[in-house]
Amino acid sequence: MAGIGKTAPDFEDLLPAMAEKLGGDGLMRELCNGFKLLMDEEKGVITAASLKRNAAVLGLQDLRDDELASMVREGDLDGDGALSEMEFCVLMFRLSPGLMEQSRLLLEEMLEDQLKTAGF
């Protein structure tokens, strides 16, 4: 997370609380709504320009163009210079240490249950 950690201001990680309140499906709906809010409507993706236009919604209006571009690059998995809806959701999960920890714990619990069921 080199690009994000160096450019984005500190933020309160609200995704774990949202996941708990909304459940998995509700959280994904909210992430999709967030994507739509930030995307370039003509291109259907988030670009540095669309992020700049909507930066105030996120409290990021003071970030420079290069910082906004760095944020897009951080999540741009296919190298096209923009964030698809999937890339945006993956990035939000990666930037949420609390949600990543919850996911890890849930996975461990599921694996333990499977091993017990299998007799290990």
Side-chain angles (χ1 to χ4, degrees):
M1 291 190 290
I4 295 293
K6 294 180 181 175
T7 62
D10 290 333
F11 69 97
E12 183 179 352
D13 184 5
L14 299 176
L15 284 183
M18 288 176 64
E20 187 174 318
K21 182 177 181 183
L22 301 173
D25 290 340
L27 176 62
M28 291 308 296
R29 273 192 306 277
E30 287 304 309
L31 286 175
C32 290
N33 289 339
F35 173 81
K36 290 174 184 162
L37 179 69
L38 298 172
M39 76 175 189
D40 179 309
E41 290 186 22
E42 291 179 14
K43 297 178 181 177
V45 294
I46 295 174
T47 63
S50 70
L51 189 56
K52 182 177 182 172
R53 277 193 303 275
N54 299 299
V57 173
L58 301 173
L60 302 176
Q61 62 273 8
D62 295 332
L63 290 181
R64 299 183 319 264
D65 289 355
D66 64 316
E67 293 172 321
L68 293 169
S70 177
M71 293 175 77
V72 171
R73 277 193 309 274
E74 178 70 26
D76 181 15
L77 301 175
D78 61 10
D80 66 355
L83 298 178
S84 67
E85 189 172 56
M86 181 59 69
E87 289 171 325
F88 174 76
C89 291
V90 168
L91 180 62
M92 294 299 97
F93 274 81
R94 282 181 41 217
L95 295 176
S96 174
L99 197 55
M100 292 300 289
E101 178 63 15
Q102 282 183 354
S103 298
R104 185 184 66 76
L105 293 173
L106 180 60
L107 179 60
E108 287 177 3
E109 184 178 304
M110 289 171 40
L111 289 173
E112 285 177 17
D113 289 345
Q114 289 292 325
L115 289 172
K116 286 178 186 173
T117 302
F120 288 99

